[in-house]
């Protein structure tokens, strides 16, 4: 067990620090069950603490069941690994930029006053009346949809409708190439189960949607970042990463990209697909923000014909996040394996959710709702940009559409520190480094333009910024 | 690459058989990417085919991208593994006893006439009217529940109600020890993600619920069977398996067990827990059938106080399989890691499903519905047993409660052959070996007593059985 250094945390005794050092090593899968641990003397020397401190730390870890003491032989990592913990398995991140902490904060409405760091629209923007009508209509529907499991692929009529919607953005998919899932995130998880092995490498945009980074930790794969430009990934860096890391997958959004609001240029689209063919790379195109676009930007799945590209999507952002329903469109020969993985790990999809989504999409009112939302978002974006500029925050790129504005903070301001200060006031922010695998976005921040309409939020941010570089 | 033998399939050319042999080896993760494949001469000798056959097979596999040809050096497994396929990763099973095939057949209602092999009640038995009322009531509810993500743990009021329900069977759990999921299967999948590493061993009852076996393949863990007796697992075999295989987990149902309908005796309960403590074993108790019991049988989670035991459940069997909602109750210190895994792989739970389940459980009508269902099931069970006996099928055990009757087929009748013959008539059966990791249940069959009320089904089975040992 080389390279151990004491994990120092304020307010912990030396014994606790020694315990934490060993616990982190074991939980991080860096010391397998049965591995011999350093002797008391060795560990005391390595960490620069007294032997009695090490003795007490080992005693307490034995009591916790993490370490086994074998008489006359020393200390060993106990028989089974401790439970897998996402927070112990990635790089140690400050709370403010840890993807899972941000998600939890944003979802836990009890302490939230304003939520400009979240990825969804305020509920007042969502089609409440249409959903109420759909519920009443389902209450009168034939009984099958109320109590039965979904079919293996999911509701045929909804898959048919999705095929038509995909055709609108140029993607040709037969309804039997489309499998319904319980969410866009589950869709992505199933694709990872299909295509990734532990230890594989995955290309992502830097910055990218932060939950991708959490999901990759769950799959024990390594994320390789490619800098994002306003026209897509930096293509030279993309090619170099393919050659150096031989990644299995590239995962991206092609509609308004999260967090930058950019779209792929046709040139980038074409060149990415050529590189994918040459380097045996598969691509997952997360199309979850598609309905925010007035004119669809180029889609990788459209150019590729669903050969190297898998497209996924859901309705959480435009219809409801409470009605769980997503989908995967993939090569026909992969669909059986995806269905098997779905059945084994979640049994069926949510048949009632699929019925509700079908009902809502079929109604002409969905088109009107989406149209109204786009207009309202464009207005909110136009109003927000000068307000942010007035407090020293400037757009990195001006998006054509969507919910997000990716911004530079005033010179010298660190996004994580600003986030911490804002949270004290009940404001959830999304600091740049939560999205960045290289941790190169410390001076950037993602704003949700709809949530930024909250009265007083600009003033609150201005006061926090005025508090000085540490905002304390 | 030792031990290759030609995979012979009727109707395939020799070239196709050679291709299939290599493809299976590669898809089964037995030859990693980059592994050198046998030379043309070696492979021709090993499989007993001509060199030109091998040349053509390699050429076609190169065209498929599964094999790489490196000039002057030979053939190699191509750069990336093919997509992960559950059907290629377990033992090769006949279609009739393959868990995933049975699930697909049972879920695909288009070809089904009768479904006595499925695990759920006919929709006419389910609380249709109550669900309609709950939908109408939700249509009038405040907007938050219609469009928002769930909180990280899930609807607090439903978790409180679950804690009260668990207390009824003696299980003490604080609502904050309970996390909602999108289904019982997802609950089990998340527990596997928390506690298992690829290559781990898991104890299961032999026979056990067949989807456990599919789920374990997805997690790449090995299932170790312990014979099930009418009082629980065979305790001597259980102890021997702990010593020999050092499994991480034991997964079982304690309420009416699927497929045998048995329950744990208090003695078995106590001894399993003592063995778990002694051997560092964790237990998952799948309580999905709990509401079918008139008097709750002993629960491992009750005796153990949720220390070594994790309890999971859902409402698919008693309320609706279309409204997806399950839960996990676990040690407080594991809940954070479970929430992180849920957020990373499915984002939130289905907030609308949770609202509907809460509404249905709170109503007094749920208790009446469940009571009526139990009485009706007991009546169906009483009526079915003599009908089955009359055609030579006898109960292995007479359950106190539940949906399932686990039966011995007439002497010499093979469950898989009977299942195949019945499927020709549109009847889905659940043959014993689908539930058995040892494949020792060839002469057994699980019947769903509610689905067996279908008019004419006993006569149909009698005619098929009369068709002779091959039922052809």
């Amino acid at each position: 067990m080389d390279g151990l250094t004491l994990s120092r945390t304020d307010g912990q005794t030396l014994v606790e620090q020694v315990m934490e050092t060993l616990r982190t090593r074991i939980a991080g899968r860096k010391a397998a069950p049965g591995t011999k641990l350093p002797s008391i003397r060795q560990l005391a020397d390595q960490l620069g603490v007294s032997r009695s401190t090490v003795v007490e730390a080992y005693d307490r870890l034995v009591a916790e069941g993490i370490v086994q003491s074998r008489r006359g032989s020393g200390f060993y990592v106990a028989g089974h690994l401790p439970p897998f913990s996402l927070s112990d398995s990635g790089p140690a991140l400050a709370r403010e930029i840890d993807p899972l902490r941000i998600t939890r904060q944003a979802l836990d409405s009890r302490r939230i006053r304003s939520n400009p760091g979240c990825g969804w629209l305020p509920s007042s923007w969502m089609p409440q009346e249409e959903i109420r009508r759909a519920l009443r209509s389902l209450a009168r529907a034939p009984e099958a949809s109320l109590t039965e499991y979904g079919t293996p692929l999911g509701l045929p009529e909804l898959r048919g409708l999705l095929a038509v919607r995909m055709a609108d953005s140029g993607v040709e998919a037969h309804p039997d190439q489309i499998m319904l899932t319980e969410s866009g995130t589950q869709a992505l998880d199933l694709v990872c189960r299909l295509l990734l092995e532990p230890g594989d490498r995955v290309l992502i945009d830097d910055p990218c949607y932060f939950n991708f980074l959490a999901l990759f930790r769950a799959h024990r794969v390594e994320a390789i970042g490619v800098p994002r430009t306003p026209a897509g990934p930096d293509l030279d860096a993309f090619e170099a990463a393919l050659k150096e890391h031989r990644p299995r997958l590239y995962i991206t959004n092609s509609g308004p990209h999260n967090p930058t609001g950019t779209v792929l240029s046709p040139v980038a689209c074409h060149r990415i697909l050529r590189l994918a063919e040459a380097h045996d790379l598969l691509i997952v195109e997360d199309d979850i923000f598609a309905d925010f676009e007035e004119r669809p930007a180029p889609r990788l799945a459209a150019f590729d014909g669903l050969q190297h590209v898998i497209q996924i999507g859901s309705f959480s952002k435009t219809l409801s996040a409470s009605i769980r329903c997503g989908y995967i469109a993939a090569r026909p020969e992969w669909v059986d394996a995806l269905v098997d993985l779905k059945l084994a790990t979640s049994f069926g999809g949510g048949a009632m959710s699929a019925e509700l989504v079908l009902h809502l999409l079929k109604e002409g009112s969905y088109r009107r709702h989406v149209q109204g939302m786009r207009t309202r978002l464009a207005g909110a974006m136009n109003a927000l940009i000068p307000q942010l500029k007035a407090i020293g925050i400037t757009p990195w790129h001006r998006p054509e559409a969507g919910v997000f504005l990716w911004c530079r903070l005033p010179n010298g301001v660190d996004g994580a520190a600003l986030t911490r200060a804002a949270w004290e006031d009940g404001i959830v922010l999304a600091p740049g480094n939560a999205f960045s695998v290289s941790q190169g976005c410390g001076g950037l921040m993602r704003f949700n333009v709809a949530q930024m309409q909250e009265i007083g939020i600009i003033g609150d941010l201005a006061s926090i910024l005025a508090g000085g570089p540490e905002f304390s």
Side-chain angles (χ1 to χ4, degrees), chain A residues 33-34 71-72 89 91 99 103 112 126 141-143 147 157 198 224 245 255 294 312 328 333 432 469 471-472:
Chain A
R71 211 168 304 174
S89 66
T103 300
I112 300 176
M126 301 300 272
E143 60 185 36
T147 61
E157 210 181 338
I224 308 286
H245 299 290
E294 188 72 42
I312 65 175
I328 303 175
E333 63 266 35
F471 318 107
S472 56

Side-chain angles (χ1 to χ4, degrees), chain A residues 38-165:
Chain A
S39 71
I40 290 167
R41 189 177 52 75
Q42 283 169 336
L43 193 57
D45 290 351
Q46 243 184 314
L47 300 180
V49 299
S50 75
R51 294 188 192 177
S52 62
T53 300
V54 173
V55 169
E56 194 183 333
Y58 269 148
D59 274 354
R60 285 166 59 181
L61 288 171
V62 168
E64 285 184 10
I66 291 170
V67 166
Q68 271 183 331
S69 157
R70 298 189 194 159
R71 211 168 304 174
S73 163
F75 296 96
Y76 291 80
V77 179
H80 292 296
L81 288 170
F84 180 67
S85 152
L86 288 177
S87 58
D88 291 337
S89 66
L93 294 175
R95 290 177 72 88
E96 292 71 27
I97 57 165
D98 183 326
L100 288 161
R101 296 247 162 229
I102 295 179
T103 300
R104 278 169 183 248
Q105 278 182 348
L107 289 175
D108 199 347
S109 53
R110 285 168 303 179
R111 288 194 50 201
I112 300 176
R113 200 157 61 78
S114 309
N115 210 348
C118 81
W120 49 90
L121 295 176
S123 53
S124 60
W125 287 52
M126 301 300 272
Q128 306 287 342
E129 208 33 65
E130 290 82 348
I131 293 174
R132 289 208 178 83
R133 269 208 305 278
L135 285 168
R136 286 194 296 264
S137 146
L138 194 63
R140 296 186 300 264
E143 60 185 36
S145 53
L146 299 182
T147 61
E148 307 255 301
Y149 286 99
T151 55
L153 281 175
L155 193 63
E157 210 181 338
L158 179 55
R159 290 186 290 108
L161 197 66
L162 290 174
V164 172
R165 279 167 51 94

Side-chain angles (χ1 to χ4, degrees), chain A residues 10 164 166 180 190 195 285 292 315 334 394 450 465:
Chain A
D10 286 351
V164 172
M166 289 173 74
L180 302 187
L190 290 170
L195 297 175
E285 186 172 55
F292 289 110
F315 306 94
W334 289 346
T394 49
L465 284 168

Side-chain angles (χ1 to χ4, degrees), chain A residues 188 204-205 208-217 251-253 258 286 312:
Chain A
L188 194 55
I204 43 154
D205 301 305
C208 73
Y209 171 41
F210 52 65
N211 206 48
F212 289 169
L213 303 173
L215 180 70
F216 296 155
R217 279 198 242 161
I251 300 192
T252 192
N253 316 107
N258 183 0
D286 179 359
I312 65 175

